[in-house]
Amino acid sequence: SRMQLKQSKNENERYSSLIDGLRKVIASEGIAGLYKGIESKLLQSVLTASFLFMSKEALFSYAVKLLVVLGARKSLAGSK
C-alpha cells in the first residue's frame, strides 16, 4: 500500500495516519488518486472468476459423464 511505500525520512512526505494519507492523496492527485491501481485488481478478479467457472463446468461435465457410464454398467450388470 502507499502507506508502506511512503517511508520517507522527510516528516512532511510521510503519512501519519489513514486520514492524513487520504487528505494528502486527495490534495495532490484528486479523488481519482484513490482509485489508482484498481485496473490490475479488477483484471485479477475477472481472470480468477473465469478460471473458477471454467474449472467448475469441466468438473461438472466430467462427473455427469462418469455417472452416465457407471449407471449404464450397473443396468447391464443387473440385466444379466
Side-chain angles (χ1 to χ4, degrees):
S1 74
R2 285 186 189 209
M3 288 186 86
Q4 292 171 333
L5 292 174
K6 202 76 164 178
Q7 296 293 327
S8 175
K9 293 184 181 190
N10 185 355
E11 264 318 298
N12 294 334
E13 291 180 7
R14 254 189 207 174
Y15 300 139
S16 60
S17 67
L18 177 65
I19 302 299
D20 180 53
L22 288 172
R23 284 184 185 145
K24 286 181 179 178
V25 168
I26 291 172
S28 64
E29 300 176 32
I31 296 290
L34 297 175
Y35 297 97
K36 199 176 202 178
I38 200 168
E39 297 93 2
S40 59
K41 187 61 179 171
L42 282 174
L43 179 63
Q44 175 193 4
S45 297
V46 168
L47 289 175
T48 301
S50 62
F51 178 74
L52 289 173
F53 182 76
M54 180 189 70
S55 300
K56 179 210 149 265
E57 288 297 315
L59 184 62
F60 181 76
S61 175
Y62 177 74
V64 167
K65 288 177 187 176
L66 184 63
L67 289 173
V68 167
V69 167
L70 290 177
R73 285 185 184 166
K74 193 181 230 184
S75 66
L76 287 175
S79 65
K80 286 184 179 180

